[in-house]
Amino acid sequence: MNLVDNHLPTQELQALDAAHHMHPFSDTGQLNTKGVRVITKAQGVYLTDSDGNRLLDGMAGLWCVNIGYGRRELGEVAARQMTQLPYYNTFFQTSHPPVIELSRQLAKLAPGDLNRVFFAGSGSEANDTNIRFVRHYWASQDKPEKTVIIARKNGYHGSTIGAASLGGMSAMHAQGGLPIADIEYINQPYWYREGGELSPEEFGLLRARELEETIERLGENKVAAFIAEPVQGAGGVIIPPDTYWPEIQRICDKYEILLIVDEVICGFGRTGNWFGSETFNIKPDIITIAKGMSSGYQPIGGSIISEKIAKIFEDKAGEFNHGYTYSGHPVACAVASENLRILEEENIVDRVADDTGPYLREKWQSLSDHPLVGEARICGMMGALELVADKSGRKPFASEEGTVGFICREHSFANGLIMRHVGDKMIISPPLVISRSEIDELVELAHKTLDQTLEELNKQGLMQAAK
Ligand SMILES: *Cc1c(COP(=O)(O)O)cnc(C)c1O
């Protein structure tokens, strides 16, 4: 018998899960009443649940399984590393071959002169590191008052207190006394919902210039850095207008504030280049990495910093009082290295740029013909559908936001396709190895899901736009 198939019946698993396991971003009461779906195995782009149902994973787990499931090489590397050196720290003036090799690979892949990596266990931890990096960078140059980090409403940078403070998710700030001090927020470049009568290009400039206004208002001598995702992921795959990033770059250069680009989702091929910074021609001082770095096979994150910052840390900063027990964990590093080897040797990023990415784009955008879809946007292998009752008006539904998205998601799961809903947007971020025929299947299932959703909305009287 296959050990991984040897599990308890679904209902027993659900009962135990309800009794003893707390889930992230979940309403515990509601979840336990409904019962979790138990995933037992996966191969390629497909998951299997405990009842034997097959699901096409349109989300690559949580935006992370870039090389797809079931790559034996990663398991073999992990087993070897666990036998040879399962753990050692990098605190005591010590290092080990896997962390050295991964650092070398990352320095080679990362844009510009981003050559030095500080490791963390996750993207959230890495962004916490970034807060301390940028503030200590300025303090080390006798500018301790440069502490403010400007971030964006509806950005996502993780769930620790620091990272969630950088994020601009109001629902997260509402719990646990967030944000921390000295984080300021500007509006997001979300043209579809917030652009009004402006063209996307005008709107992109307007939103970027809020950064300049905020720097001017606070005083340049107070501002340490600006942080943003190239494309907002968790916020709903919000792709900025073409004018946005060049203007942000101009402003960061002009005021010499550090630019932290959170590449946790966009990094490692998702936008069709190794990093979103290349896709949008951004010159970051720091990038945050996690997720696709190991394709999710091991938990690992990190920050890659420019030579300019590294030099201050070498020459002036003294001891950096920061680090994690698992910074540069040998097994996680070895697995991440193997993942990068596969991404490189199998030309997976090029395939996204030249072949499957454009193919998905064409198919995905064809969904905008559907009566429920106001916009079907896509960047590389991340896409969103704006569900609306009134296509020309770009107005939200009259029902509470998320009502329609949730209905659509339920149909999608029932059809065997994992799509996530963010409010009334449906989003996808499939494994980068998805094939053309699997893309066909994804888009067919999405189409079927939209038809069923429309039917249900009509039945329930929900096809109404807000006034
Ligand atoms: C997921 C995510 C994070 C947080 O990473 P974790 O590994 O969940 O802590 C940070 N930034 C972005 C852009 C993310 O999507």
Side-chain angles (χ1 to χ4, degrees):
M1 189 189 299
N2 176 347
L3 195 64
V4 289
D5 282 334
N6 183 18
H7 57 72
L8 294 168
T10 300
Q11 282 193 344
E12 286 180 46
L13 290 168
Q14 287 173 326
L16 286 169
D17 190 273
H20 303 300
H21 178 204
M22 297 283 292
H23 289 255
F25 288 97
S26 300
D27 174 333
T28 300
Q30 188 227 0
L31 178 64
N32 289 350
T33 307
K34 186 178 174 195
V36 291
R37 181 191 288 270
V38 181
I39 304 298
T40 56
K41 58 187 177 181
Q43 185 64 43
V45 300
Y46 294 101
L47 307 165
T48 305
D49 73 15
S50 55
D51 295 328
N53 297 307
R54 196 176 84 141
L55 298 143
L56 200 173
D57 186 4
M59 282 306 299
L62 269 178
W63 323 83
C64 55
V65 188
N66 290 12
I67 63 166
Y69 298 94
R71 291 298 299 250
R72 296 195 64 85
E73 300 92 323
L74 273 65
E76 283 159 11
V77 160
R80 227 183 299 138
Q81 188 59 44
M82 282 204 182
T83 316
Q84 179 154 348
L85 181 71
Y87 176 74
Y88 198 68
N89 73 74
T90 50
F91 285 31
F92 304 156
Q93 305 195 333
T94 51
S95 199
H96 51 73
V99 76
I100 294 168
E101 169 58 12
L102 180 60
S103 303
R104 183 196 68 79
Q105 282 173 302
L106 289 168
K108 188 168 136 254
L109 292 171
D113 68 348
L114 273 60
N115 289 329
R116 317 234 193 160
V117 194
F118 191 102
F119 287 101
S122 66
S124 304
E125 288 178 12
N127 277 324
D128 277 28
T129 298
N130 291 338
I131 295 172
R132 308 189 75 191
F133 256 143
V134 298
R135 290 180 176 169
H136 191 53
Y137 169 84
W138 291 114
S140 302
Q141 297 173 85
D142 301 322
K143 292 179 178 168
E145 68 290 352
K146 271 173 89 74
T147 54
V148 174
I149 302 173
I150 302 172
R152 301 190 300 187
K153 288 181 190 158
N154 200 36
Y156 187 80
H157 300 294
S159 198
T160 53
I161 300 266
S165 295
L166 294 175
M169 303 263 172
S170 49
M172 292 178 76
H173 289 185
Q175 297 171 350
L178 273 57
I180 60 168
D182 287 353
I183 313 289
E184 293 277 333
Y185 305 90
I186 61 173
N187 284 301
Q188 56 182 335
Y190 182 14
W191 177 80
Y192 188 81
R193 270 282 175 256
E194 301 178 1
E197 299 302 310
L198 297 178
S199 71
E201 290 71 27
E202 290 166 335
F203 179 71
L205 281 179
L206 190 78
R207 285 289 156 99
R209 284 179 187 153
E210 287 191 21
L211 176 60
E212 189 157 33
E213 285 154 23
T214 306
I215 297 169
E216 293 282 352
R217 175 168 59 77
L218 297 168
E220 183 188 340
N221 60 334
K222 293 285 192 317
V223 180
F226 173 64
I227 183 167
E229 304 153 82
V231 174
Q232 285 157 265
V237 186
I238 294 162
I239 305 166
D242 291 342
T243 49
Y244 182 76
W245 273 112
E247 185 67 1
I248 291 284
Q249 185 73 57
R250 179 192 70 75
I251 296 164
C252 289
D253 291 348
K254 175 175 168 195
Y255 295 93
E256 287 184 53
I257 69 164
L258 298 174
L259 176 53
I260 308 168
V261 177
D262 187 334
E263 293 269 9
V264 170
I265 288 176
C266 294
F268 306 100
R270 174 107 358 239
T271 67
N273 287 293
W274 276 91
F275 294 94
S277 294
E278 295 160 78
T279 302
F280 293 93
N281 194 24
I282 311 167
K283 293 184 183 51
D285 297 291
I286 300 181
I287 61 174
T288 320
I289 52 172
K291 295 194 172 126
M293 160 159 57
S294 66
S295 284
Y297 280 58
Q298 281 283 290
I300 185 167
S303 310
I304 316 185
I305 65 170
S306 66
E307 286 298 331
K308 178 176 92 179
I309 298 176
K311 194 166 162 36
I312 296 298
F313 275 78
E314 233 159 39
D315 296 349
K316 296 191 172 157
E319 181 168 338
F320 187 39
N321 299 315
H322 176 72
Y324 307 104
T325 301
Y326 298 136
S327 287
H329 189 285
V331 178
C333 287
V335 168
S337 277
E338 183 66 4
N339 173 61
L340 298 183
R341 184 192 68 73
I342 288 174
L343 280 171
E344 274 192 288
E345 285 181 15
E346 298 181 8
N347 296 317
I348 291 168
V349 181
D350 292 341
R351 206 177 339 141
V352 170
D354 304 332
D355 177 21
T356 48
Y359 188 74
L360 175 63
R361 163 179 293 268
E362 192 192 319
K363 297 263 158 178
W364 187 252
Q365 287 182 336
S366 74
L367 292 172
S368 65
D369 296 338
H370 195 278
L372 204 49
V373 177
E375 181 177 76
R377 57 177 177 263
I378 190 151
C379 177
M381 287 271 167
M382 57 199 297
L385 304 174
E386 292 278 355
L387 305 187
V388 285
D390 165 11
K391 284 178 69 138
S392 58
R394 275 163 53 210
K395 285 206 199 77
F397 286 97
S399 53
E400 193 193 336
E401 187 174 8
T403 309
V404 170
F406 182 76
I407 291 170
C408 187
R409 195 204 59 180
E410 292 297 282
H411 282 293
S412 186
F413 276 36
N415 287 329
L417 171 64
I418 306 268
M419 276 198 286
R420 180 174 172 186
H421 80 106
V422 176
D424 296 326
K425 301 181 269 292
M426 303 309 297
I427 60 177
I428 57 157
S429 168
L432 305 186
V433 296
I434 191 169
S435 68
R436 283 178 174 239
S437 64
E438 289 160 347
I439 289 170
D440 291 342
E441 186 185 347
L442 186 158
V443 175
E444 272 162 35
L445 290 174
H447 201 279
K448 178 176 164 194
T449 296
L450 291 167
D451 285 345
Q452 292 166 339
T453 304
L454 179 58
E455 200 183 305
E456 183 166 344
L457 295 183
N458 280 327
K459 223 182 285 168
Q460 293 194 24
L462 288 170
M463 266 312 266
Q464 283 178 43
K467 291 274 172 332

